[in-house]
Amino acid sequence: NGVDLYARLVHHGQSVPRALRRLDKLTIAAVNGFAIQLGLSIVLACDFAVAAESAKLGSATLRMGWQPDEGGHWLLVEHLGVKRALDFLMRKRIVDAAEALRLGLVNEVVDDEQLMPHVLELAGELSEGPQVAMRLLKKAVYNAAHLTFDQAGDDIASKTAISDFHL
């Protein structure tokens, strides 16, 4: 029934992208093969995304008359803006890695055989940073997208007081 489906979608279908976004540690998606629908949402929910040249990313729900109920519509609006998200969703686009990079769906594209070595190198680089400051900055950047300039300034100031205290 509709109520049961709603509960499953909100509490299960959206749980992975939501958990990734809420995680206070940095996350990296290594994209090889296809990242369609929930796979795309997982990629977009991560803080960094590196795609192999052969990767494909897209939205295919409308091909079956479905909705991007895992939160993919929100994540696409965040990455693309409203007009480009509508184009991506309504035209049921599946793009190659180069187009995903151009659109801003991934941070970089590497040769297929270099994907995991490159992602592990990036993870190593990020793990060497100041972890408290990085966790606070991650939250501040995501907050800034939804705050006024003054609110974002207040938010980063409070986080700076915490991170500078840890030095």
Side-chain angles (χ1 to χ4, degrees):
N1 72 35
V3 173
D4 189 43
L5 177 58
Y6 170 83
R8 284 195 320 261
L9 293 171
V10 170
H11 299 294
H12 300 292
Q14 298 171 6
S15 63
V16 174
R18 185 178 288 121
L20 284 167
R21 184 50 66 85
R22 287 181 178 166
L23 190 65
D24 71 336
K25 295 180 181 179
L26 294 174
T27 57
I28 304 169
V31 187
N32 62 357
F34 287 85
I36 307 294
Q37 232 31 67
L38 179 57
L40 175 65
S41 294
I42 289 169
V43 170
L44 297 179
C46 287
D47 305 309
F48 293 85
V50 180
E53 285 182 338
S54 64
K56 304 272 192 250
L57 296 90
S59 177
T61 53
L62 279 182
R63 292 175 186 213
M64 295 159 281
W66 297 344
Q67 299 291 314
D69 51 53
E70 75 295 333
H73 67 299
W74 190 92
L75 292 161
L76 278 167
V77 168
E78 179 183 59
H79 282 77
L80 302 177
V82 171
K83 292 228 182 266
R84 290 189 342 178
L86 277 170
D87 178 80
F88 196 86
L89 291 165
M90 298 298 180
R91 296 175 70 194
K92 305 171 276 299
R93 297 196 52 203
I94 296 175
V95 298
D96 62 21
E99 179 70 0
L101 179 63
R102 189 188 71 71
L103 289 170
L105 302 177
V106 298
N107 298 85
E108 53 189 314
V109 175
V110 298
D111 291 335
D112 287 20
E113 63 276 354
Q114 288 302 309
L115 179 63
M116 289 314 297
H118 184 76
V119 167
L120 291 172
E121 182 181 322
L122 174 59
E125 174 190 335
L126 295 171
S127 72
E128 293 174 5
Q131 293 305 302
V132 171
M134 291 171 72
R135 289 175 182 195
L136 292 169
L137 182 56
K138 170 184 174 169
K139 185 69 171 169
V141 168
Y142 283 114
N143 287 347
H146 308 285
L147 298 174
T148 66
F149 182 76
D150 288 341
Q151 291 168 330
D154 183 61
D155 184 51
I156 196 70
S158 65
K159 288 172 174 47
T160 300
I162 295 166
S163 65
D164 286 6
F165 182 74
H166 282 308
L167 292 177

